Amino acid sequence: MAPKKVLITGAGVAGLGAAWQLTRQGYDVTLAERESRAGGRARSEVREGFAIESAGGIISTADRALLSWIGELGLSDDLLPLRPVASATVYRDRSTPIDPRDWRGIAQIRGISKRHALRLIRLPRLDSRYGDRIDPDRPERAAGLDDRSLADFGGLYFGKTAVDRWMAPLVTRESLGEARNASRVLFLLNYRRDPRARLGLLRAAFGEIAERA
C-alpha cells in the first residue's frame, strides 16, 4: 500500500513532534510553516553566549515524552540533566520557598486575597472528583472536561486573584496560553502530575530541539 499522506500546519514543537512520530511510522508527511525558521513560540536565539527564549524553558521530570524525544534527537549531552528550579515568593528582598502543589503553599503567593486563599482548600476535593479522567499519560480521557476555560473554572471555584496570581502563570509557563482561552484540562493535567516530579531548566536553548528536529 502507498504510504498515507499527512499535512501538518505549523512547525512548532507540537508540529515537529507529530511529524517526527508519523514519519517514523511510515507516513508521508508535509510540514508547513509560515516563518523562515522552525520552533514557533519555542524558538530561541543565542546572543553573546546567552540564550534568549521566546517561551519559558522550564520543564519537568514528568515530561517523559519530551525527555525521550531529546534523547532520540541526540541532544541529551547538550540539554540534560535538567538544572534544578525552586519555587518561591519574593517580597521586600525576602525569598520564601513554597510548594506550588499544596494549597497552603499556594496561599502564600502575594496578591491572592485571604478569602480566595481559603477557597483553595477545595482543590484536593475537586481533584479526586475527576478521578481517572485526569491522566497525564492519557490526556484524551479528559475530553469531556474540555468545555470550560481556565478563567471560568478558576474564577468559579477559587476566585479571580487565585487565577491571576497562580493558575494563569502556571498555564502560561506550560503553553503560553491565556486563562480565558486555555482549557481547564491543561491546568488539571499539570496539577495531577507525579508529586515526585521536579522542575528544571534545559542546559542550553530550548530552541535547539526545534532546530535539530
Side-chain angles (χ1 to χ4, degrees):
M1 296 178 62
K4 295 180 180 180
K5 295 184 178 181
V6 177
L7 171 65
I8 297 175
T9 303
V13 171
L16 289 166
W20 176 272
Q21 293 294 337
L22 290 170
T23 300
R24 287 166 60 92
Q25 295 175 34
Y27 288 84
D28 181 2
V29 178
T30 298
L31 183 60
E33 170 57 49
R34 67 181 177 180
E35 303 292 342
S36 59
R37 293 174 56 199
R41 291 176 295 182
R43 188 167 55 240
S44 55
E45 297 181 15
V46 177
R47 298 180 185 176
E48 300 180 7
F50 293 94
I52 301 175
E53 306 279 8
S54 300
I58 298 177
I59 64 175
S60 165
T61 54
D63 294 322
R64 292 184 291 272
L66 178 59
L67 295 174
S68 176
W69 192 30
I70 288 172
E72 293 175 14
L73 291 170
L75 291 172
S76 294
D77 291 342
D78 297 326
L79 303 184
L80 301 176
L82 296 175
R83 292 180 292 175
V85 170
S87 297
T89 62
V90 179
Y91 180 66
R92 292 182 177 176
D93 298 326
R94 180 180 179 182
S95 176
T96 304
I98 64 169
D99 180 357
R101 289 183 50 85
D102 186 275
W103 71 269
R104 286 159 293 196
I106 299 163
Q108 296 181 51
I109 298 174
R110 293 200 62 83
I112 297 181
S113 72
K114 292 182 178 180
R115 179 166 57 90
H116 292 165
L118 289 173
R119 292 165 69 176
L120 292 170
I121 199 171
R122 299 174 173 178
L123 187 55
R125 187 171 73 252
L126 282 170
D127 182 51
S128 63
R129 176 193 297 177
Y130 297 126
D132 61 1
R133 287 186 291 173
I134 302 297
D135 183 350
D137 294 325
R138 299 290 300 277
E140 68 277 7
R141 292 180 178 176
L145 300 174
D146 196 19
D147 60 346
R148 178 172 285 176
S149 73
L150 175 60
D152 290 341
F153 169 75
L156 175 65
Y157 287 104
F158 308 113
K160 186 178 185 302
T161 61
V163 173
D164 292 344
R165 296 288 180 157
W166 170 51
M167 303 174 84
L170 187 68
V171 168
T172 299
R173 189 198 78 208
E174 289 289 310
S175 68
L176 292 186
E178 297 180 353
R180 67 176 184 272
N181 297 323
S183 167
R184 61 176 169 176
V185 172
L186 181 61
F187 167 80
L188 292 169
L189 285 169
N190 185 284
Y191 179 76
R192 182 62 73 86
R193 276 180 170 168
D194 186 343
R196 296 167 296 179
R198 300 182 306 278
L199 295 177
L201 283 167
L202 296 173
R203 293 186 174 271
F206 193 91
E208 286 196 22
I209 298 173
E211 294 292 339
R212 178 65 63 88

